[in-house]
Amino acid sequence: MTGGEIAALIAAIAFAVLVVFLVIVLMKVSKTVGEVSKTIKEANSSLRVITKDADNLLIEVEGLLNKSNTTLDDVNGKLGKTDPLFQAIGDLGDTVSSLNASTRNLTDRVATVTKRSAQTGVVTKVGKTALNMNRKRKDR
């Protein structure tokens, strides 16, 4: 065998080994692609189910929101009707405060007049009593 034939033989063996390794790698890649394909199919199936469930849930949520909006509008309308009541209660409170202030002023005035009258009345009684005692002495 000549050197060229030996080199060709080595190249052929190296090429055969390379082909074997490539076949092994391609088989593993093929299995991996198959597994990925299965996973993608399962994911798509799951997404379809989740999408259906989400659609149903969104429909229910929309219905609840519509009912909530209707109820809120009703409550707002009813609360609007109570505004005059609270205004009247506020006005009544102002009137009661004014009445309390007026009553307090009247009470203070009456108390002042009563004190003056009481003091004057006591002085008058003491004076009369003294005069009466004086007269009785003179009469004796």
Side-chain angles (χ1 to χ4, degrees):
M1 262 188 160
T2 64
E5 290 176 347
I6 293 176
L9 184 62
I10 291 174
I13 292 172
F15 184 73
V17 170
L18 179 65
V19 169
V20 169
F21 281 119
L22 282 176
V23 168
I24 292 171
V25 168
L26 286 175
M27 287 177 60
K28 288 185 179 183
V29 168
S30 175
K31 284 183 183 180
T32 304
V33 169
E35 292 295 323
V36 169
S37 178
K38 286 181 186 176
T39 304
I40 290 173
K41 285 180 184 178
E42 289 176 7
N44 285 337
S45 175
S46 296
L47 282 174
R48 277 189 223 109
V49 171
I50 290 171
T51 303
K52 284 181 183 179
D53 290 346
D55 288 343
N56 292 335
L57 186 61
L58 287 175
I59 290 170
E60 289 182 28
V61 167
E62 185 179 355
L64 284 173
L65 286 175
N66 288 335
K67 288 179 184 178
S68 297
N69 286 338
T70 303
T71 303
L72 189 60
D73 289 341
D74 184 44
V75 169
N76 284 336
K78 289 177 181 174
L79 281 175
K81 291 179 182 178
T82 62
D83 286 345
L85 172 67
F86 288 109
Q87 182 64 39
I89 290 171
D91 293 345
L92 178 63
D94 291 342
T95 303
V96 169
S97 293
S98 297
L99 179 63
N100 283 341
S102 297
T103 304
R104 193 174 301 120
N105 289 339
L106 178 64
T107 303
D108 290 344
R109 288 182 187 159
V110 168
T112 302
V113 169
T114 303
K115 280 183 184 178
R116 287 182 189 158
S117 297
Q119 289 172 350
T120 304
V122 168
V123 169
T124 304
K125 286 182 183 178
V126 169
K128 284 181 182 179
T129 304
L131 279 175
N132 285 338
M133 288 174 71
N134 229 1
R135 284 185 191 154
K136 286 182 184 177
R137 264 193 214 167
K138 286 183 182 178
D139 289 340
R140 285 191 213 165

